[in-house]
Amino acid sequence: MYKATIEVRLKPSVLDPQGNAVKGSLHTLGFEEVDSVRIGKTLEVWLKAADEQSAEEQVEAMCKKLLANPVIEQYSFRLEEGA
Amino acid sequence: MYKATIEVRLKPSVLDPQGNAVKGSLHTLGFEEVDSVRIGKTLEVWLKAADEQSAEEQVEAMCKKLLANPVIEQYSFRLEEGA
């Protein structure tokens, strides 16, 4: 069993309205020192694979097909065995 | 300027319907080897602070007051200076 930890973030050039909303709320709560906020998602995927290379290929394919939108998002992941 | 990278995840005991939905979609796409999926969020917060300790206290307070729901979520963060 492998565990993939996948980080999906908006590309730096893409506006992040959710992050801006959180920044506004933080300012309202008194955290005036906050300059900017960006929000992404973290997916933890446990999967069976014969070896690390096969796990890597599967996770890469999942990211491309479903988990990330390549037009506006970028992704990176790391794999751990037996987690 | 400090950059805090904050990971907010559901506690392990809390059901993750969004993760289960993604797992279902991955199975439908042919990724039958996926055993489970859990989804969290990553916040990148840039803030001004006099020193690292003050930045840490501020981020801790933000997490408690707004960014994480302590009933169902857990959080962790790391700080980088000048990022």
Side-chain angles (χ1 to χ4, degrees):
Chain A
M1 185 78 82
Y2 289 84
K3 178 187 170 191
T5 305
I6 305 164
E7 299 275 347
V8 181
R9 290 161 200 236
L10 287 171
K11 288 183 181 172
S13 57
V14 176
L15 286 175
D16 182 355
Q18 196 192 357
N20 283 339
V22 168
K23 176 183 143 182
S25 299
L26 287 170
H27 282 189
T28 306
L29 284 171
F31 298 104
E32 303 282 349
E33 308 82 358
V34 171
D35 196 69
S36 73
V37 178
R38 290 186 72 84
I39 302 183
K41 56 186 188 238
T42 310
L43 296 104
E44 296 171 298
V45 176
W46 287 263
L47 73 160
K48 290 176 205 77
D51 53 39
E52 188 156 340
Q53 205 201 327
S54 142
E56 201 173 315
E57 284 166 9
Q58 281 186 64
V59 174
E60 188 76 40
M62 285 175 210
C63 288
K64 288 208 170 108
K65 284 194 189 158
L66 181 73
L67 305 179
N69 175 350
V71 177
I72 55 166
E73 293 173 328
Q74 58 194 20
Y75 62 86
S76 61
F77 64 87
R78 60 177 191 276
L79 279 171
E80 292 162 75
E81 198 177 346
Chain B
M1 185 79 82
Y2 289 84
K3 178 187 169 191
T5 304
I6 305 165
E7 298 275 349
V8 181
R9 288 160 201 237
L10 287 170
K11 288 182 181 172
S13 57
V14 176
L15 285 176
D16 182 353
Q18 196 192 359
N20 282 339
V22 168
K23 177 183 143 183
S25 299
L26 286 170
H27 282 191
T28 306
L29 283 172
F31 297 105
E32 304 283 350
E33 309 80 359
V34 171
D35 196 70
S36 73
V37 178
R38 291 187 70 86
I39 301 183
K41 56 185 188 246
T42 311
L43 296 103
E44 296 171 297
V45 176
W46 287 263
L47 73 161
K48 291 178 205 74
D51 53 39
E52 188 158 339
Q53 204 200 327
S54 143
E56 200 174 316
E57 285 167 9
Q58 281 186 62
V59 175
E60 187 77 38
M62 286 175 209
C63 289
K64 288 209 171 107
K65 283 196 191 157
L66 181 73
L67 306 178
N69 174 350
V71 178
I72 56 166
E73 291 173 328
Q74 58 194 22
Y75 62 87
S76 61
F77 63 87
R78 60 177 191 275
L79 280 172
E80 292 163 74
E81 200 177 345

